[in-house]
């Protein structure tokens, strides 16, 4: 490999230190513990609680779900992207960096928009989960530009994507009153189409020169399957993490469980079907088998029924495999969208499918099916809106999400940053001849396969 200097010795330290100093100052001024975390408030309210008040702390209800979501963010997403034969360090390492920054910035952005208390942002285990959700959206976008950007570019992208994510989330959940517990719209659709817009703006005309590095080998695919298995196992926790306690959370986990199982069968079936020799494609297994978790994110807490979840999962696995096989090559050749991980097939299309399922399930709401649990799922139905209005808000939320992701990615990234900042040579991005290459950013890189 020809020697190439990225100049990261100064660029990366300056950006990391400046961003963290800003975060520390903002946290010091604006952030404080919530009532379940603050010693004074928690113990002051003890007389009003039961004989075992400590076990009523939010921590014991939410932390197991947070732990699963956290594993998905740092291990699941990180290892899923190690399929590139010479980019394993960067896949896991840059995932780690972006996530660590994004969860801090997301805490502030979501706190600003979702309600401050006495001029302060209150943090607890639920805010940690929500920050991880936002981080997941950024990592989805990272998958679209994987191998073609520097860590400094990725941090700059994260600054603005987190901000737009928080705005979009506020519009959908607070203004429109949409339901999207598992984030089919807010997380997956937004992250996928934002990332696709960024990778389109950063199009590399001569990326073909790095084609030999853009493929996988036996060992790298095996590492990527570690990420797949972790994500597949913990996805029920992801979708149910912030739903209401009780039947809502139980139902969301169960719907996701069956959707993922049906999706996996569809993935294997269509992977073999679209191959002329009937062989399975590891790219399909690593990615499309997860689409069921994405597609049931919006309607997971609704009375979707187990069989409904299985149908959704089967459809998600089908469109994901077909997307990898037939649509991705068209997007690259015709629209110049170089989607490294195929996030359009795993997160984009299944996310839109999930939003549509949410719209249909909202229309079908009945008091007979939900009983007294209706208000837990649909807070405004009955008092301020009927089922048709709720479905309209769900549809409007999908439209707003796509607009925020595409137009936000285009206007913010293209006009302000990609066209003026992200494309400048100051960030140490790899040249077209050295994309998907660890050695330009990491020392002691030894390859045991080529």
């Amino acid at each position: 490999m020809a020697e190439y200097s990225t100049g990261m010795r100064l660029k990366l330290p300056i950006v990391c230190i400046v961003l963290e100093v800003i975060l520390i100052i903002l946290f010091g001024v604006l952030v404080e513990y919530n009532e379940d975390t603050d010693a004074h408030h928690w113990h002051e309210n003890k007389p009003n609680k039961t004989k075992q008040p400590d076990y009523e702390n939010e921590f014991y209800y939410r932390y197991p779900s947070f732990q699963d979501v956290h594993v998905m963010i740092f291990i699941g997403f990180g290892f899923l992207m190690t399929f590139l034969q010479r980019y394993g360090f960067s896949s896991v390492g840059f995932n780690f960096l972006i996530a660590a920054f994004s969860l801090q910035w997301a805490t502030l952005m979501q706190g600003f928009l979702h309600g401050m208390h006495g001029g302060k942002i209150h943090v607890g285990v639920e805010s940690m989960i929500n920050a991880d959700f936002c981080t997941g959206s950024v990592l989805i976008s990272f998958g679209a530009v994987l191998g073609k950007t520097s860590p400094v570019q990725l941090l700059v992208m994260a600054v603005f994507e987190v901000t737009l994510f928080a705005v979009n989330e506020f519009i959908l959940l607070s203004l429109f009153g949409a339901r999207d517990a598992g984030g089919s719209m807010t997380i997956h659709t937004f992250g996928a189409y934002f990332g696709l817009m960024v990778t389109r703006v950063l199009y590399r005309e001569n990326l073909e020169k790095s084609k030999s590095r853009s493929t996988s080998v036996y060992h790298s695919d095996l590492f990527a399957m570690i990420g797949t298995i972790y994500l597949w196992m913990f996805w029920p926790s992801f979708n149910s993490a912030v739903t209401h306690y009780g039947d809502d959370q139980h139902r969301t986990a169960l719907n996701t469980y069956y959707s993922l199982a049906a999706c996996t069968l569809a993935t294997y079936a269509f992977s073999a079907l679209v191959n002329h020799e009937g062989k399975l494609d590891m790219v399909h297994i690593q990615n499309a088998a997860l689409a069921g978790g994405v597609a049931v994110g919006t309607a997971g807490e609704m009375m979707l029924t187990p069989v409904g979840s299985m149908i959704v999962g089967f459809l998600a696995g089908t469109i994901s495999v077909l997307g990898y096989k037939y649509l991705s090559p068209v997007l690259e050749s015709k629209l110049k969208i170089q989607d490294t991980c195929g996030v359009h097939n795993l997160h984009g299309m299944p996310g839109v499918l999930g939003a549509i399922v949410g719209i249909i399930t909202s229309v079908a709401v009945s008091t007979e099916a939900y009983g007294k649990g209706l208000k837990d799922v649909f807070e405004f139905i009955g008092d301020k809106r009927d089922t048709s209005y709720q479905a309209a808000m769900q549809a409007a939320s999908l439209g707003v999400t796509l607009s925020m992701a595409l137009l936000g990615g285009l206007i913010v990234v293209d006009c302000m940053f990609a066209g003026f900042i992200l494309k400048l040579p100051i960030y140490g991005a790899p040249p077209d001849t050295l994309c998907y290459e660890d050695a330009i950013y990491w020392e002691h890189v030894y390859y045991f396969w080529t």
Side-chain angles (χ1 to χ4, degrees):
M1 184 190 74
E3 289 294 325
Y4 177 78
S5 176
T6 61
M8 283 293 113
R9 185 179 183 185
L10 289 177
K11 297 171 185 176
L12 185 58
I14 289 172
V15 172
C16 287
I17 292 170
V18 168
L19 288 176
E20 191 58 39
V21 168
I22 292 172
L23 288 169
I24 289 171
I25 293 171
L26 291 174
F27 266 72
V29 174
L30 297 170
V31 178
E32 65 181 23
Y33 297 132
N34 68 8
E35 290 189 0
D36 281 51
T37 315
D38 184 84
H40 178 76
H41 284 102
W42 177 253
H43 289 276
E44 186 179 57
N45 293 329
K46 263 192 173 184
N48 299 322
K49 299 183 182 292
T50 64
K51 294 180 180 179
Q52 290 183 313
D54 288 340
Y55 293 100
E56 292 184 356
N57 193 288
E58 182 185 39
F59 177 87
Y60 295 98
Y61 295 97
R62 296 294 190 194
Y63 190 78
S65 296
F66 163 74
Q67 201 169 26
D68 292 351
V69 172
H70 219 45
V71 168
M72 291 177 68
I73 295 299
F74 287 92
I75 296 180
F77 278 103
F79 276 88
L80 181 64
M81 291 184 274
T82 58
F83 68 95
L84 294 171
Q85 58 179 295
R86 299 169 71 97
Y87 210 66
F89 280 16
S90 299
S91 297
V92 177
F94 294 164
N95 184 93
F96 193 9
L97 172 66
I98 299 165
F101 165 73
S102 296
L103 66 87
Q104 297 175 79
W105 186 232
T107 299
L108 294 170
M109 290 297 99
Q110 291 172 320
F112 288 143
L113 291 168
H114 290 286
M116 299 179 70
H117 307 270
K120 297 289 185 179
I121 297 170
H122 285 190
V123 294
V125 68
E126 188 166 344
S127 69
M128 292 161 63
I129 295 172
N130 285 321
D132 271 10
F133 281 172
C134 180
T135 299
S137 190
V138 176
L139 296 179
I140 290 168
S141 300
F142 171 43
V145 299
L146 185 71
K148 300 168 292 185
T149 46
S150 74
V152 175
Q153 283 177 304
L154 294 170
L155 286 169
V156 172
M157 182 187 79
V159 169
F160 296 98
E161 183 172 1
V162 167
T163 305
L164 286 172
F165 174 95
V167 172
N168 183 64
E169 184 183 51
F170 173 74
I171 293 172
L172 268 59
L173 304 185
S174 298
L175 299 185
F176 288 0
R179 308 302 300 179
D180 192 35
S184 291
M185 294 184 286
T186 55
I187 301 170
H188 301 286
T189 302
F190 181 84
Y193 288 102
F194 187 93
L196 290 173
M197 186 55 67
V198 173
T199 195
R200 174 61 185 88
V201 169
L202 298 179
Y203 174 73
R204 289 174 174 267
E205 190 172 354
N206 298 310
L207 190 61
E208 189 73 15
K209 295 179 180 180
S210 290
K211 185 177 180 179
S212 62
R213 298 185 185 87
S214 66
T215 57
S216 63
V217 291
Y218 186 86
H219 301 81
S220 64
D221 270 334
L222 195 58
F223 273 108
M225 273 301 295
I226 294 174
T228 299
I229 297 301
Y230 267 99
L231 290 169
W232 199 95
M233 288 169 56
F234 290 128
W235 216 295
S237 294
F238 187 94
N239 282 351
S240 64
V242 293
T243 54
H244 283 282
Y245 304 139
D247 64 290
D248 303 65
Q249 198 164 43
H250 194 165
R251 184 169 55 251
T252 307
L254 186 142
N255 285 337
T256 307
Y257 177 82
Y258 287 118
S259 182
L260 285 165
C263 177
T264 302
L265 269 292
T267 298
Y268 277 84
F270 282 91
S271 182
L273 188 63
V274 299
N275 184 280
H276 295 300
E277 298 179 3
K279 294 183 178 181
L280 298 170
D281 189 330
M282 187 56 93
V283 172
H284 301 159
I285 308 306
Q286 289 165 356
N287 296 279
L290 300 170
V294 176
V296 82
T298 296
E301 64 179 330
M302 303 176 192
M303 292 290 286
L304 186 59
T305 73
V307 67
S309 303
M310 294 166 74
I311 293 171
V312 172
F314 192 88
L315 289 173
T318 301
I319 64 172
S320 186
V321 171
L322 296 179
Y324 275 103
K325 180 66 177 179
Y326 301 111
L327 187 56
S328 289
V330 173
L331 291 178
E332 182 166 356
S333 61
K334 302 299 183 182
L335 300 182
K336 298 182 179 181
I337 296 175
Q338 299 163 327
D339 182 6
T340 306
C341 291
V343 300
H344 185 241
N345 310 307
L346 171 53
H347 301 280
M349 292 190 296
V352 172
L353 172 64
I356 294 171
V357 172
I359 295 168
I360 296 170
T361 312
S362 298
V363 172
V365 168
S366 67
T367 52
E368 290 78 14
Y370 287 87
K372 295 180 179 179
L374 180 63
K375 290 294 182 182
D376 284 350
V377 182
F378 298 101
E379 181 182 354
F380 301 113
I381 286 184
D383 296 335
K384 301 180 180 179
R385 59 181 64 170
D386 57 17
T387 56
S388 297
Y389 189 82
Q390 180 66 42
M393 289 297 98
Q394 296 289 140
S397 296
L398 175 59
V400 169
T401 297
L402 289 170
S403 299
M404 287 285 289
L406 293 172
L407 295 178
L410 177 64
I411 295 172
V412 175
V413 180
D414 188 17
C415 298
M416 294 177 61
F417 302 106
F420 180 63
I421 295 179
L422 286 184
K423 284 187 176 180
L424 292 177
I426 62 172
Y427 289 107
D432 290 347
T433 55
L434 290 176
C435 289
Y436 318 115
E437 176 60 63
D438 270 338
I440 64 174
Y441 294 113
W442 302 86
E443 65 175 356
H444 305 309
V445 176
Y446 304 106
Y447 300 113
F448 295 97
W449 56 84
T450 57

